[in-house]
Amino acid sequence: PEPGQAMCSLRYEQGRPEEALAQLTDSMKKWFRPAKGVQDDDDDDEDKDEGGTGEMGADCAGPSGGGGDAADEAAIQPSYEFRFECAKLLLELSDTTEVAIQVLEDMVEEDDSNPHTWHLLGMAYYGGGLLDEATEIHEQGLKLLKKLGVPEDDEVYDDFDDLKGAIEHARTEGMEAA
């Protein structure tokens, strides 16, 4: 999956987001299985199998969808850092946040002590308009920072403050629109 994600990054930097998303989707087919109800980012009807799950989940296994025993899944699972970068690219390129949220939720389940993953998950929820979930993740992230003893002048606190501000702004805008 690494070469496909590298090509995705290159296409994105070249200002070719559609090609970048196609590269990323193709790369993810090697390791990611969407959970039921989660659409992959490839909306072409020709890529759907008879069950309607989409090609991304049809021939790959990951921690979310099963499709093999635990040893097989661990063997094909890319590194934590790789999946983090994949989620960031998904948030940049995709029209939806569902797949990025699933990737990040799986990562938090695997290692719940990484504040950057918590922050990106909060941003994904925020980007998807799931403000209650984003608020909950924000609060959990702050608790984690305190538990880990991260100094309050660390940049990651600024990231969480930015998330909180964005959520509050979205709530205010939502009230004004109603």
Side-chain angles (χ1 to χ4, degrees), residues 72-119:
D72 289 343
E73 290 176 3
I76 64 165
Q77 189 72 4
S79 72
Y80 196 88
E81 294 79 11
F82 178 90
R83 289 177 283 143
F84 185 82
E85 291 302 316
C86 179
K88 286 178 20 181
L89 286 166
L90 283 168
L91 291 173
E92 287 288 329
L93 296 168
S94 179
D95 292 336
T96 70
T97 60
E98 290 178 9
V99 175
I101 287 171
Q102 184 183 343
V103 169
L104 291 163
E105 285 177 343
D106 290 346
M107 292 175 66
V108 165
E109 188 175 312
E110 178 183 326
D111 177 7
D112 65 355
S113 65
N114 186 322
H116 299 285
T117 305
W118 283 98
H119 173 258

Side-chain angles (χ1 to χ4, degrees), residues 6-70:
M7 286 299 296
C8 167
S9 295
L10 177 64
R11 295 293 180 246
Y12 179 65
E13 291 297 319
Q14 292 173 333
R16 296 157 60 182
E18 294 84 13
E19 291 178 39
L21 182 58
Q23 285 285 339
L24 184 61
T25 301
D26 189 51
S27 169
M28 289 181 71
K29 289 176 186 177
K30 295 172 176 63
W31 62 270
F32 179 76
R33 178 180 294 275
K36 285 191 174 187
V38 174
Q39 293 292 320
D40 65 30
D41 291 317
D42 195 353
D43 292 328
D44 296 337
D45 288 336
E46 65 194 46
D47 288 340
K48 303 291 180 196
D49 61 5
E50 288 181 10
T53 59
E55 213 174 276
M56 186 183 294
D59 61 354
C60 59
S64 304
D69 64 23

